Structure formats: structure tokens, C-alpha cells
Amino acid sequence: MLLTDPEVENSLLISTDEGATYQKYRLSFYVLSLLFHPQQEDWILAYSHDQKLYSSMEFGRRWQLVHERVAPNRFYWSKMGVDKEAGLIHLETSVSDTQALYITCKLQNCSEGNKGKPFPGYIDPNSLVVQDEYVFVQVTTGGRTIYYVSSQRDVFTPMKLPKYTLPKDLHVISTDEKRVVAAVQEWNQNDTFNLYVSESGGVYYTLALENVMSSMGPEGNVMIDLYEVAGIKGMFLANKKQESQVKTYITYNKGRDWRLLQAPHVDLRGNSIHCMLPYCSLHLHLHVSANPYTSGNIASKESAPGIIMASGSIGAELSSSNVSMYITSDAGNTWRQIFDEEYSVLYLDQGGALVAIRHTPLPIRHLWLSFDEGRLWNKYSFTSSPLFVDGVLGEPGEETLIMTIFGHVSHRSEWQLVKIDFRSIFNRRCTDGDYQTWHLQNQGETCLMGVKRIYRKLKSVARCVMGKTHSVTVISEPCDCTESDFECDYGYERRSDGKCSPAFWFLPSSMWRSCTTVSSFLNSTGYRKVVSNNCTGGVVDLYTARRQPCPRQAPRGLHLVTSDATLTATVNSNVTFMVFLEEGSGSRTTIMLDFGNGNTISYSNISTVEDGIRHVYRSVGIYRVAATARNDLGAETVLLYLHVTCPLEHIHLSAPFVAVKSKEVNLTAVLWPSQVGTVTYIWWLGNNSEPVITLDGSVAFTFSREGINVVTVQVSAGNIILQDRKTIAVHEYFKSHLLAFSSNLDEHNPDVAEWRLDVSRVIRNSMVQATGQDREQLLVTVLPGLPTTAEFFLLPDKQVTEGKPKKTTQHLDELSEMVLGALNQNLVQFTFRPGVQITVYAAHLSAVPLVDTSEKHSGSAMLMLLSGVVLGLAVFVIYKFKSVLPLQPFPMPLHPLCPYNPTPEPPSNLTPNSTPNPPPPASPFPLPSRSSAPEGFTLCVIVILSSRKIPGLSIYAQMQNEKEQEMIQSPVGPAVDATVAVATAAVAPAAVTAAAILPVQPQQQKQKQPRPPRELVVTTSSLEPLDTAHKAHSIGGSKGPSSLLGCVAPINMLCGSGSSLHTILTPPHLPSHHQPPVWPQQEIGASRNTGISQGFDMPTSDKRQIVENHPGPTRPTPLYSTHPTLLYPSWPTPLYTHPTLLYSTHPTLLYPPHSTPPTPAHPSDEGQLSGPCPLRMG
């Protein structure tokens, strides 16, 4: 005997003398449940509270850990004769909340090397059932569940229920006699289940009984009102819901035929009961107790065939009131009432003695005992004081005349165990004269399941002990087969006349599918013999399926699926394709599979692909996978579109910190990696309650009200959803400036969003403290990237400037001068940490709007527009009559593990039939080569910027006041014919672009004539550091490939590197007394882009823009950016009152003017000029 109480302590009490003494064994875990081996009485499995499974081979004295993360009640002992080893354990292990694994391992060695995985893939949690020779699992994909079965530990096969069953739930009820009985809840059922029975393989199922009642157990488990009678094979009791009434039915041939129960003719007191079928019958409660120490509502015993005790009622339907106890001794043909209340029943001496204890919450001290199958009951007292009975337990073994009653005297007392030994009641053992024969029959029909069965039972008047020498002797005599021995085959339904006919959805020719692997098939007659039916002769030949040779036919019903029944896969992972053919001569049918990426594979027959075809996709994309089955009679092709994705790791919402009211703002979601497959963007903009769903990563939105708006973007890629959120302050007027910091701040910048928010708050507090400004009029945001830069925004005081635009501009100018004064005097400082003092500087370049928000159009802009049109016509003429200069698409950085590769992949399966895709067509935008350009010409990219608004761009500030408008005039007069703006390959929508082929002066002319004061050079190669000389350096070039490089060195700077397209702008020539000063190299600042344009980003090294100030009698013309890239140097002190405003349309290098024009260093060397950075002319 073994006892445990895990709620009190982690120990076991073991008794080897029938409970007389106990020995305590301490455990390292708390026992939740125990499972004893069916043959080895010392072998035990213990399940702990922390989902660990332990094993003991010494009756609980020593324990060993088997496995962790085991599902509760999903571990099973091996079955002798089916499993190869006696000590094998079947168990389900949890992988996640939605996935589990079915594994097998040895009792004493469950290491990774000894584990078996009978099912290839994940299963649903809590779905493993191991019962007799069958194993069941379920897999849910796409909201639909597929149930698999394995017979005799063979491969798993999907269970074939009728086509439109569409199960919501399935429970295995019985697996006796090589047949599966399953309860299935279909799509249109709520509290009922349909009963299905299978053939011997457990694969094909037919309907046995509809609308069987169900209920919820005390632990939330589903309980089906179906009871399998012990001791008689094929006998079941079921409660069926029929026209809102619950009635009890009985079957003797495993569900082939059902009938109602005949009620007793008299009650307990001998009064007659008038109950006529089918209007009145006996109905039983069929709930089996989940507590192993109580009998529940119904009980039967394997060693006492034909004896069934149950609680129930008599009438038109099952009732919960007026419940009595009933017994049958002839397997349900006749019933007797034995108690008018519910009792718990215990079988002793193999049914020779029956013990009944009243089922009541009140304390009791009596029990009832019967020796004649319940005809006469004797009352006995088992305790002197009443006891609250919690359970009854019979001793294991054949000779069961000892029982134990356990309970408690009061609700606060401990358990009391009362052991009762009935052996003293009997004075002799039974002899052959004490037994009689009993014929199993169903209302007079003795041929049940194809045989006549005769049992040996104890006479009702015998008072003796059968003991362990007794055995239930069964004499079987086979019967001739009749139509009642056959049930409808899979795909057939029984009509009202009892005949089986094909269902509307079933094609009898579909059973030929076995011909895809073999040369013959079984041609069904619509009937199949009930499993375990032993009839012979008769009509067996008429109803039995006949084996016929497979007909020759073209392939039909080709199916192509993945092994996990999904349409998605991860890049660089194995994908297993399964190919099935419903009809066709499999041995003569070839299978060809095109993976959609240029790789194909062929097989001579379909039997060679039963285990699946594996393939690995190296690139993200949607692939058209095609399977073709072909023989000499025809062909069939099926398609599958597979989405190969890469896991989305991170997203970033690029948005301005401050926006202008009623002006469009461009919002962009940046993904990492950039190529993850099909992506959906869900935008929650402002205070809108409904989202905007797009397939594009950028949207334009206009905020119509001032205030704080929250923008949230959610990115859905596969089963991954990530989001980012930004707060945008919307105002009608504001002014912004960039900030720089002392270089020691970069050492503490982790470049994460939380750090930037905290530092922005500290900077704002420091500026408010240093300037005395109202906190509500100052906003600060730290920009991403290194070096650390920030931008602050000044907002007008609404009480002073409400409805006064001119006064608002003047008010913002005053606030700006005050703040800049404090910044220029190094008054804004903060302590980052003890010993680290940070100084905040002004970048001295006012952040003007990226677009012109005024209604006027400047004359210079119109002149530039007209010049661009003329120049564009010239380019067209030259292009038409000379040659074409193709362009190369800009190279984009890709995720190292998730490439997007349109080119064919190398075959993953090297087979003779694999054929790669043809090479991709040449890019329509190749790089310009030396041979492609006309001799004597160089390429210039000229962009004319119009002054109209560019939609979708962030606006950083309002236009300057009228005084500043007058200062924005070009220092170059009309005589200068080279007033151009610089652009890269990514041009804003509002820009007019033209590519001109300009003549290059011969080398001899270069030596005699000075270089023009302004020149434009396109560069695409790496840049090198320059020296720090104050004089202007000439720019040279050398022969080589058609890549360009350019550097200017009036300041000490570090040129960027990368493959992006750069431009160099040389402003008009200035007098020598206007040379710009030189700042130390570490003072020159550069930062990353604050926005994303054209849908891609650039390497950090290319995101540089060098801006210098120079004195002059007039203010230079500011150049406005069409891209949200504001990059400024860090200057410790103000140098000029009105700095030059140069903005890049892309990561662009902007340079100050040269003091002297560059001159050739080596006239004899064609195309080569002196200087520290060579220029390779294309």
C-alpha cells in the first residue's frame, strides 16, 4: 500500500503488511499523480507540480527524473506485445503554449540520444492519447484541426471521418478488440456528440449514433454519456438526445444496432410499474466518477459479466429527481430496483459479493452486503460512531474480500481508515456444483457479434468463496453471417430500409487511390464486417469487398502541401513538400516539382516521394511552386504559392518632432531587416479612432489642429506584430535651431530612444533655467545617431501673438536671439554624471523650412526653372544624336541573413533533373562606364528646384520674416550662367532633373586658360582625408575605372566613404581677403539623417554634410533641402552673424569657395591634376 498527501508534505507512506505499519520516504518533489505499471507492480511514474515526470522501479523508495515540461496526464506505459520494450514511456512534452512534441524514451535512460519522435512535427498541447495498439494526436493549422492515428506503432495517418463532419472536438472512447470508438462534436453541435466507429486500422470511420449527451466534469473536462460495459465485448450504453428528451440506449454489436431499455415490471416494494416502449423506458445516469475511490453512477466488472448496477429513473426521459438504484444480472435484458436512493457499489470476490454504501453527505455507520447478485441485501455496521465517508477501496488481486473505507469523524478531524475483512463470513470455497451456465442474449437473439457465448456463473443460492482459482469460462459457437453482422463502409450511409448507399459527397472510385502505390485495390460493396465479429459463411461473400486489379487511368486529384500544412516558411530553413495523388497509375506516373526559384526535381513514380521533398529557400519572396503528375494517359498540375519570410526584428517610425498645422507630414516605418516578406502597416494617426491600413511603409498626413498628437504604426509580418510610437507637437508658428554638444557626451550615448528622451528632458530644463523662458514655449529633441545633436523649437506666446502673424514672427525672433545668446555664451550646461559636465552649443544655422510655404514665387526660382527647361531640351538633343548614358540603381544595404535576391538560387537538391532558371535580364540602369560616354564630354547632374510645395515632407519652421526675405538673394548676377543646385540620384517629386553632357576642354587649353570660378563634379567613390593648408588646392584626376572621386581641402576634414552618389558645389570665386578660417578637425560635426526619403537609408559614413561660414558684404543665398537631412558642424563660439545656409537634398558634401582656381600640376599628363585626392575622370 502506498499513501501520499502532497498538500501536507513531500513524502510517501509505504506499507507492506496491508496497512498495519508504514514507513515514510522523503521526496525531492511534490506528487500530483501516480501511474502504476500494468504488469510490473514495483514500477511507478510520478508527476510533480512543476511538470516533471519521475520514475521508480522500487515501489517509490527511489526516484529518478525522466523528463521536464511534461503535459499533465499525457504520459503512458508501454503495452506488451505492441511496444518493443517493456520499460518504454510515451509522453507529451510542452514546447510552447501552442506546440508540443510526442516522444518516447526508456524508463531509466531518457537522454537526447535515446529519445524517439514517432510523429514528425509539432502537435497540439494535451492531444496525445496512447491506448492499446493505437496512438492519437491532433494538429491545428489555419484554424482547422487534423486528427492523426497510428496503429501498431506504425506511421501516422489522418483519420477519415465523413467529409462534412468538420469536428470541433474529438474524444477516443474505446479501443477494444482492434476497433476505435470516437465521440465527435460537429460544427452544428453544442452539448451533444456523434458516435463514430472505425475499421481495424482506426483510419476510416462511420456513424454509429447521433446526439450523444455530454457534460462538463469537475475539472473542466468533457464527459460523454457513453459507457462500455465491462466483461461483454461490444456492449455499450449511451444517453441520446432526441427531440429535447434524453433517453438511454443499449447496443450489443458495437453500435451497429441500438434499442431502449425495458423498465422493471415491479418496484422495490413489489408494486407494478406500467411502462410501455417506446413511450416509457428505463434511463440511467452514465457518469463514471473521476475519483478512483468512488464508484460513480454506474459500475460493472470484468470478472462479473452481465452484472451492471446504475442509478436512474423510469419515464419518458432521464430525470435527476426520483433517482433509484437498479441492477441487471443478464446484461441489460431485465432490470430490478434495489434501492430508492443513490449508493456507491463495490464488487468483492469477483462479483460473488456486492457491497453498497449510501451516497450521502451525512455521516453513516452501516453498509449493505449481497451474495445473490442483488436480490437480497443484508445490513452491517462497520463503525461504532458515524463517519463521513470519502471513499471505498478494494484490495487488489483476485481474492478481493478485504475493503477499506476512509473518511473523517468531523470536518476538522484527520482521515480515519476502516479496514473490513469479509473472509470470516464464508466457511468454504466454491465447487463445480456451485456454478451454472448463462447464455448471453439480446431479447432472445443469441448470436451476438457472430457467435453464441456461454458464461459460467455462480448460483444465487451459493454461499462460498470463489477465490483466485475462479475464472470466467466462455464457450463460443460461431454463427452464419447475416446482414446484421455488417455495417456501412466508409462513404456509405444507412437508409430507412436498412440498406447502405453512397453518401452524396462520396465517389466510390476514390477508393482507387491505393492504386497510386500498388497494382490492386479492394472494391467495396458498401458494407464491411463489424470488427471482432466472428461469423462465418452465410452472406459473407456477398458483402465482403473484392480485390481487383487497378485500372489504367490518367493522374487525377493531385495535391501539393507542406508537411506542416502552412503556406509560409522561414528563409534558410528546410521546407518539406508532400505530394499526394488520389487517382492514377502510380507506378507509371512521374512527378516533377518546380520550386519556383529556378530549381526543379523529378521522380519516376509517386511512391518515391512518400516521405516528402525537402528544399531550402535562400531569399525572401513569394514562390510559385508547381507539382506535375504525368503518364501516357494525361497529366495534371497543381500550384502552391509559398511565402518565404524573414523574422521581423525591429521597426522605427521616422517622424518630425514638431509639425506645422495644416501642412502634410511624411511618416515612414523603417524595418530591420528591410526585406521580411509581405508586410501590412496599420497606422493610428492623431486622435482618429479608426486605423489606416496600407501596404506601403510611408504615409502622408495633415494635422488640422494644434496640440500634441500621438502616431502609432504597427507592422504585421507573418505571425509577428511590432509597433513604434512617436509624439508630434503641431503648431501654426514656431522656430527651430540645431544644437551641438561637447564631445564627451558621445562617449555616453548608447543611441537608444529612451536615452534620447531622458537627455532631451535634461537639456530642456537646462535651457529654461539659463534663459528664463517659459517651459511651455520650448521643446527639445535629441536626434538619433552620432555625433550627438539635438534640435530645439521655440513656440510663440498665444496671449501675445494670437491672430497677429507679423507680431508672431517678431516675437519668435526675439526669443531666438535670447536663447542663442545664452548658448553662445556657454550658459547652457548640465551634469550628465558626477565629473562629466556637458556644454550645449548653438549650431548657428537656423533650421528654415524644407519647403517654401509662402504663396509667392521668387524670380530667381522662375529663372532657374526656365534655365532647366532649356538645358533639358539640350540634353535631349545630345542624347538623341550621340549616345546613351545608362545609370546604375543605387546599391541598398541588405540584412545579412535575409537577402532579397531576384537571381536564381543554386539548387538545394542536386539531381539530374534539376534545371536552373535563366539568368536575369540586364539591369536597365547600369553604371556609366568609360566606354559609354562620348569622348570629350563629362556628366553633370543638374536639378532645378521650384519654389512650390513638395508634398509629403516634414516642415521644420516657418519662412523668415520680410527682412530675411530681402537678404535671400543670389550673390551671383545675371551674367553668371552657372547658378545651379546640386542633387543626387534620389530627387524629390517637385524637382526638375536634367542630365547634360558638357564638353571637356582639351588638356592644352587647360594649361593656358584658368578654371571657371564655379564647377560641378559628380563623385561616387571613397573620399580621402585632406591637409590643413589655408590656400586652395587644385583637384586632380588619374586614369582608371569610371568611378569619380573629389575632395576639397580649405579646412581639415575627414572625407566620407561609401558607394553613394555625392556632389561638390564650388560657390563663386571670392577675393583673397575673404578666405574662410580653419577650425580644428574635431570641431567639425556631422550627424545622421533625421528622416527617410525615397524609401531607403544610406550608410553612416555617407551621411555627411560639411557647411562653412564665410564673411562677405552680402549674405549668401540659402539652399533649401527636399530631404529631411539637417547636418551641422559644432562650433564653440559664434563666428558670423548671418551664416551661409546650405542644405543637402541627400547625404551630400557641400564645400566653401576656393581662394584661387585650381591649376593643372602636370600639363603633359592628360586628365590628371595635382592635389591630395585624385579625381578619376570618366
Side-chain angles (χ1 to χ4, degrees), residues 83-140:
D83 291 291
K84 297 180 180 179
E85 300 181 25
L88 197 67
I89 306 173
H90 303 262
L91 51 93
E92 176 188 312
T93 61
S94 300
V95 177
S96 65
D97 293 339
T98 58
Q99 292 180 330
L101 284 175
Y102 164 37
I103 66 173
T104 59
C105 59
K106 297 180 180 180
L107 178 62
Q108 294 295 323
N109 187 4
C110 197
S111 60
E112 288 295 332
N114 291 322
K115 290 181 183 178
K117 294 182 179 180
F119 186 80
Y122 295 111
I123 65 175
D124 291 351
N126 297 314
S127 68
L128 175 65
V129 175
V130 180
Q131 200 163 312
D132 296 327
E133 63 265 33
Y134 300 98
V135 180
F136 304 89
V137 297
Q138 71 182 45
V139 178
T140 301

Side-chain angles (χ1 to χ4, degrees), residues 786-818:
L786 292 172
T788 307
T789 56
E791 188 172 6
F792 73 90
F793 300 84
L794 295 175
L795 308 178
D797 188 351
K798 292 294 183 180
Q799 298 180 355
V800 178
T801 64
E802 186 69 29
K804 303 175 182 178
K806 291 186 178 181
K807 194 169 184 179
T808 300
T809 303
Q810 182 181 358
H811 177 62
L812 290 176
D813 289 341
E814 293 175 357
L815 295 179
S816 178
E817 292 179 3
M818 183 184 303

Side-chain angles (χ1 to χ4, degrees), residues 732-737 805-813 816-817 820 844-856 955-969 1115-1120 1128 1137-1143:
E732 189 172 2
Y733 299 96
F734 63 85
K735 197 166 187 179
S736 65
H737 297 263
K806 291 186 178 181
K807 194 169 184 179
T808 300
T809 303
Q810 182 181 358
H811 177 62
L812 290 176
D813 289 341
S816 178
E817 292 179 3
L820 289 176
H844 291 279
L845 293 179
S846 300
V848 296
L850 294 180
V851 296
D852 189 359
T853 61
S854 64
E855 298 296 333
K856 304 176 183 179
I955 300 176
Y956 280 73
Q958 293 294 326
M959 292 294 293
Q960 299 189 9
N961 55 25
E962 296 179 358
K963 183 177 179 180
E964 290 176 333
Q965 292 285 348
E966 297 174 358
M967 293 187 294
I968 303 177
Q969 302 295 333
R1115 298 173 182 172
T1117 302
L1119 300 180
Y1120 295 92
Y1128 299 89
T1137 305
H1138 302 288
T1140 303
L1141 307 180
L1142 299 180
Y1143 291 82

